[in-house]
Amino acid sequence: MGKTGGRGDFEWVYTDQPHTSRRKEILAKYPEIKSLMGPDPQLKWVVSGMVLTQLLACYLVHNLSWKWIFFWAYAFGGCINHSLTLAIHDISHNVAFGNKLAKWNRWFAMWANLPIGLPYSASFKKYHIDHHRYLGGDQLDVDIPTDLEGWFFCTPARKVLWLFLQPFFYALRPLVVNPKPICQIEIQNAVVQLTVDLIIYHLWGLKPIVYLIAGSILCMGLHPISGHFIAEHYMFLKGHETYSYYGPLNLITFNVGYHMEHHDFPSIPGSKLPQVKQIAAEYYDSLPQHTSWIRVLWDFVFDDSIGPYARVKRVYKLSKQE
């Protein structure tokens, strides 16, 4: 990958995001891609299997010593939980049951949320819409770090700390950058999650709860799978704000690595994004891509030209309220 040069600010651009025009061009040339849009009938079974696996794990770990709780949280449970957050990402685009059953998707996302330990799915949906609609938008896209993050986390040691704390920044940043009123579905999400947490605590004690929550935090922080957070939109090469990764970790992350394809066609389930790349290969093969999420993390930490400031930002004419 190329270098961006030393950074003291974001990369401000005055052009629209590239996904809108590329989507129109690809659909004009390959209208058959429209047939890939719609629900993935297998998603509900895969996700349910993962949720039930974690509930079984809660029983299996309840008598383990604390050191093994944290080991299995990082090595096993957290990987499943991180994968479930990416399932929730897919579900937020209504690909579990389709647009006509939007409420079913919201409730199913709460089911996928249960092993994560903390309510997440409803708030994610609310902000993820803006990430697609206003990619890179100043004070609109909360996926972009704040100025404080960019200024402070600029050395290798501080960037390692930033990676470790990523879950907390993702949770708190929206409240600072673009706060929105709490909606009813978020309250329902919290009530459902707390109820299940209390049931697990009543049945098996505190250790399963720590196993679930610690796994979520650890594996969304400094972990190989978390390389996708950096790989997706950090500007490793000037002028390119979205990157795909086509490696084996897509098998456990609902193909989130196919990120250019996803932003071009967000209504296509992750399971079908490889078909998009295959059909429109000439649009994607020549674009910069990542080959390793671990390498992405390494470069992020040790390359001075890459850090929280290495993001493309733009000002949209629409106000936040619009």
Side-chain angles (χ1 to χ4, degrees), residues 14-39:
Y14 303 94
T15 57
D16 192 11
Q17 58 169 293
H19 303 287
T20 305
S21 57
R22 187 161 58 221
R23 179 187 308 120
K24 292 178 181 178
E25 189 174 338
I26 291 176
L27 285 177
K29 189 172 183 178
Y30 300 108
E32 63 268 28
I33 285 180
K34 292 181 180 178
S35 67
L36 301 177
M37 300 175 183

Side-chain angles (χ1 to χ4, degrees), residues 12-318:
W12 290 90
V13 300
Y14 303 94
T15 57
D16 192 11
Q17 58 169 293
H19 303 287
T20 305
S21 57
R22 187 161 58 221
R23 179 187 308 120
K24 292 178 181 178
E25 189 174 338
I26 291 176
L27 285 177
K29 189 172 183 178
Y30 300 108
E32 63 268 28
I33 285 180
K34 292 181 180 178
S35 67
L36 301 177
M37 300 175 183
D40 175 2
Q42 299 301 318
L43 185 61
K44 58 182 176 292
W45 304 116
V46 174
V47 169
S48 295
M50 295 166 70
V51 172
L52 294 174
T53 297
Q54 280 292 72
L55 293 177
L56 174 61
C58 285
Y59 165 74
L60 295 176
V61 304
H62 79 283
N63 283 326
L64 294 181
S65 65
W66 283 109
K67 67 177 181 180
W68 288 111
I69 293 290
F70 287 101
F71 172 80
W72 288 114
Y74 186 81
F76 177 74
C79 298
I80 294 180
N81 284 3
H82 194 143
S83 184
L84 283 170
T85 67
L86 297 171
I88 291 169
H89 164 257
D90 236 19
I91 297 164
S92 73
H93 294 284
N94 293 335
V95 301
F97 297 99
N99 291 322
K100 293 182 179 179
L101 297 172
K103 279 290 186 181
W104 288 32
N105 289 281
R106 302 290 79 75
W107 283 97
F108 186 66
M110 292 185 203
W111 165 248
N113 193 150
L114 294 182
I116 296 170
L118 299 169
Y120 161 84
S121 62
S123 297
F124 175 82
K125 163 72 175 178
K126 181 171 66 175
Y127 283 100
H128 190 62
I129 294 172
D130 289 344
H131 173 61
H132 278 269
R133 185 179 297 164
Y134 309 120
L135 181 65
D138 184 37
Q139 297 186 308
L140 291 168
D141 184 357
V142 298
D143 187 64
I144 295 180
T146 61
D147 275 299
L148 180 60
E149 291 171 70
W151 169 77
F152 183 77
F153 296 100
C154 57
T155 66
R158 292 180 186 181
K159 286 191 278 187
V160 168
L161 178 62
W162 185 84
L163 290 172
F164 181 76
L165 296 175
Q166 259 193 125
F168 301 100
F169 286 119
Y170 269 98
L172 298 176
R173 192 185 299 139
L175 305 179
V176 176
V177 175
N178 188 13
K180 297 184 179 185
I182 295 176
C183 55
Q184 183 179 6
I185 194 74
E186 289 178 283
I187 296 173
Q188 294 169 343
N189 187 191
V191 170
V192 169
Q193 187 66 55
L194 179 61
T195 300
V196 172
D197 287 349
L198 289 173
I199 291 172
I200 292 173
Y201 176 78
H202 176 73
L203 291 174
W204 302 309
L206 181 62
K207 288 181 178 179
I209 301 298
V210 173
Y211 163 79
L212 294 177
I213 296 177
S216 299
I217 293 173
L218 292 172
C219 284
M220 290 183 69
L222 196 58
H223 191 279
I225 298 176
S226 293
H228 79 86
F229 287 126
I230 307 300
E232 290 165 2
H233 296 294
Y234 283 78
M235 196 178 66
F236 282 72
L237 188 65
K238 188 175 178 65
H240 294 272
E241 60 186 301
T242 307
Y243 302 80
S244 283
Y245 156 82
Y246 303 116
L249 287 178
N250 279 301
L251 295 173
I252 59 172
T253 57
F254 295 91
N255 283 331
V256 75
Y258 287 76
H259 217 67
M260 288 185 291
E261 294 84 350
H262 170 65
H263 271 265
D264 288 352
F265 301 100
S267 59
I268 294 179
S271 61
K272 297 180 182 179
L273 290 177
Q275 294 173 249
V276 174
K277 182 181 183 298
Q278 183 179 23
I279 293 171
E282 72 269 26
Y283 286 92
Y284 299 110
D285 288 347
S286 60
L287 292 173
Q289 58 188 252
H290 293 292
T291 57
S292 167
W293 282 342
I294 295 176
R295 177 59 187 269
V296 164
L297 293 173
W298 179 274
D299 288 345
F300 179 83
V301 170
F302 293 107
D303 190 331
D304 289 339
S305 68
I306 307 170
Y309 265 142
R311 292 292 298 261
V312 170
K313 288 191 79 172
R314 50 176 59 87
V315 176
Y316 283 88
K317 293 180 181 180
L318 296 176

